[in-house]
C-alpha cells in the first residue's frame, strides 16, 4: 500500500481566511479577541531583518505572506482585518505611542466600541485587551486611519484634535498605494 500523504500545513494566509470566516458574524467582543490573538501569535520580526530597511510598513498581504512583522505591521494587519470584518474606520485609530517601559516608539490599535466609550487598546505585546484608562504604560503621540490624522491626547482618552488627512504620513500613503495595486 502506498504511504499515507502527510496533511499539508496551512499557510498563515489560509489560517487568516479561516479566522475571518469563522468570526465574521461573531459578537464584536469575540471578533476583537480573535483578531488580536491571531496577529499576536505571528512572529515578531524587526524591519531591518525582514525587509532590510529601518522602517517599512507592510500591507496585510505582506504580513500574512511573511507570517509576521513588527508592531506597525501587526497593528496595520489588525486594522485592515477589522475593515474586512465590517468594522467602520471611525471605530479604529492606528496609534503611534511611546512606551514608558522601553522609552521607544510603539504602535497599537485604539478600538472605539461606541461613541464616547473608553477605547480598547489592541497591543502586539499582550493578548489581553484593556481599555485605554488601564494603559498607563503608553503615551499617545498621534493616531490615524483612512478618515484622518489626530494629535492624540492621553487626558482625552487618546482622541485628540483632528489635524488633517493621514496622507501626510508617507509610510501610510505607501501602504495604501501598494494595497490598491493588489498587494
Amino acid at each position: 500500500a502506498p504511504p499515507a500523504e502527510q496533511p499539508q500545513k496551512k499557510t498563515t494566509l489560509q489560517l487568516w481566511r479561516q479566522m475571518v470566516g469563522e468570526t465574521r458574524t461573531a459578537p464584536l467582543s469575540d471578533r476583537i479577541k480573535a483578531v488580536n490573538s491571531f496577529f499576536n501569535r505571528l512572529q515578531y520580526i524587526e524591519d531591518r531583518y525582514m525587509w532590510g530597511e529601518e522602517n517599512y510598513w507592510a500591507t496585510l498581504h505582506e504580513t500574512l505572506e511573511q507570517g509576521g512583522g513588527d508592531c506597525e505591521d501587526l497593528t496595520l494587519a489588525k486594522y485592515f482585518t477589522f475593515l474586512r470584518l465590517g468594522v467602520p474606520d471611525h471605530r479604529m485609530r492606528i496609534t503611534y505611542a511611546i512606551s514608558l517601559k522601553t522609552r521607544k516608539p510603539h504602535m497599537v490599535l485604539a478600538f472605539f466600541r461606541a461613541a464616547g466609550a473608553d477605547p480598547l487598546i489592541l497591543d502586539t505585546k499582550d493578548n489581553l485587551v484593556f481599555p485605554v484608562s488601564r494603559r498607563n504604560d503608553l503615551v499617545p503621540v498621534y493616531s490615524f486611519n483612512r478618515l484622518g490624522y489626530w494629535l492624540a491626547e492621553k487626558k482625552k482618552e487618546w482622541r485628540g484634535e483632528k489635524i488633517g488627512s493621514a496622507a501626510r504620513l508617507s509610510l501610510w500613503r505607501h501602504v495604501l498605494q501598494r494595497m490598491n495595486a493588489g498587494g
Side-chain angles (χ1 to χ4, degrees):
E5 282 192 36
Q6 295 292 323
Q8 289 280 339
K9 183 179 176 189
K10 289 186 177 183
T11 66
T12 305
L13 179 58
Q14 290 169 326
L15 292 169
W16 175 82
R17 285 185 177 135
Q18 179 180 336
M19 182 269 300
V20 167
E22 290 171 354
T23 60
R24 186 173 302 284
T25 59
L28 183 59
S29 60
D30 292 346
R31 283 184 278 164
I32 291 169
K33 289 176 192 169
V35 170
N36 195 55
S37 65
F38 178 86
F39 286 103
N40 287 3
R41 283 193 304 266
L42 300 185
Q43 186 175 9
Y44 187 92
I45 309 168
E46 291 183 23
D47 290 335
R48 67 176 165 251
Y49 302 116
M50 183 175 298
W51 304 107
E53 297 180 27
E54 279 305 307
N55 200 9
Y56 180 85
W57 290 7
T59 66
L60 171 61
H61 190 262
E62 289 170 331
T63 298
L64 293 170
E65 284 221 331
Q66 295 296 324
D70 66 2
C71 63
E72 294 94 351
D73 303 331
L74 299 173
T75 297
L76 291 170
K78 291 174 188 184
Y79 171 81
F80 287 113
T81 297
F82 281 121
L83 290 176
R84 180 71 60 96
L85 289 170
V87 174
D89 270 309
H90 72 271
R91 305 251 335 247
M92 302 175 286
R93 289 194 194 163
I94 302 157
T95 304
Y96 176 89
I98 301 296
S99 167
L100 295 178
K101 291 178 185 174
T102 65
R103 302 274 186 232
K104 292 184 179 181
H106 186 50
M107 186 93 53
V108 296
L109 185 65
F111 194 102
F112 300 85
R113 293 170 293 181
D118 199 10
L120 300 175
I121 300 302
L122 284 70
D123 195 338
T124 56
K125 297 178 190 254
D126 198 336
N127 280 332
L128 298 175
V129 176
F130 293 108
V132 72
S133 59
R134 293 192 43 205
R135 292 303 308 263
N136 294 324
D137 59 314
L138 296 173
V139 176
V141 179
Y142 65 85
S143 63
F144 61 96
N145 59 25
R146 294 185 309 180
L147 302 175
Y149 179 61
W150 293 262
L151 285 179
E153 293 182 47
K154 191 168 184 133
K155 65 184 175 216
K156 292 184 180 177
E157 283 107 11
W158 293 29
R159 283 176 175 81
E161 176 186 345
K162 186 172 182 179
I163 56 173
S165 167
R168 65 193 317 168
L169 302 169
S170 63
L171 291 168
W172 176 241
R173 270 196 330 271
H174 293 143
V175 164
L176 295 176
Q177 288 166 353
R178 290 194 318 276
M179 288 183 71
N180 289 335

